[in-house]
Amino acid sequence: MKIENVATERLVLRPMTVDRAERVVGREPGPEDQWAEGYPGAGDVRSADGFLRGVAERGDPGVFRTYEIRLDGVTVGGIGFHGPPDEIGVVTVGYGLLPGVRGNGYASEALRALVEVARVAGAAGVKGDADLTNPASHRVMEAAGMRCVAEDEKLRHFYLAL
């Protein structure tokens, strides 16, 4: 199944493939990969590994996959779904950007696009969480329309009904 790139005003979300995920996990770019310095980070490797495990366990996830965040054709981070919708139709999202490109609204822009992917694909809602000590990530989710619905000793939990 071919999944199309998702374009925003400034970014392109490029769907992860098994081949690209294997390169990210191995930290070995292929000839067509353009990675910014510092990519992939530890979070990108964990996400790519999770994508590969999900494909092995459940098959191709369709649009509910991981995406590279590309700025001017260069991969500067990642965003995606932790898997398909759960039993009530809710998907969990995660994202990360290289430190050098943070603070420009790219994560919020990418998350708004990912929320739209989930909506079009029929998800009932989107959830995510961030450490209490990460207010920048809280702002990203809020900018994408998600609202804080709970907080525990470590995390702030966000949700958006679609």
Side-chain angles (χ1 to χ4, degrees), residues 102-160:
R102 293 178 188 160
N104 294 296
Y106 298 137
S108 298
E109 185 175 327
L111 185 55
R112 282 191 297 272
L114 198 69
V115 165
E116 181 62 11
V117 167
R119 188 191 66 72
V120 169
V126 175
K127 66 181 179 176
D129 58 55
D131 291 339
L132 293 177
T133 59
N134 190 351
S137 191
H138 305 163
R139 288 190 299 274
V140 166
M141 287 186 270
E142 289 167 346
M146 300 172 75
R147 295 293 166 244
C148 181
V149 295
E151 187 175 299
D152 58 36
E153 64 280 350
K154 288 183 153 187
L155 299 172
R156 188 166 284 165
H157 302 270
F158 292 80
Y159 180 77
L160 175 64

Side-chain angles (χ1 to χ4, degrees), residues 82-101:
H82 291 198
D86 65 16
E87 64 280 352
I88 60 170
V90 176
V91 291
T92 303
V93 296
Y95 49 85
L97 287 172
L98 292 172
V101 298

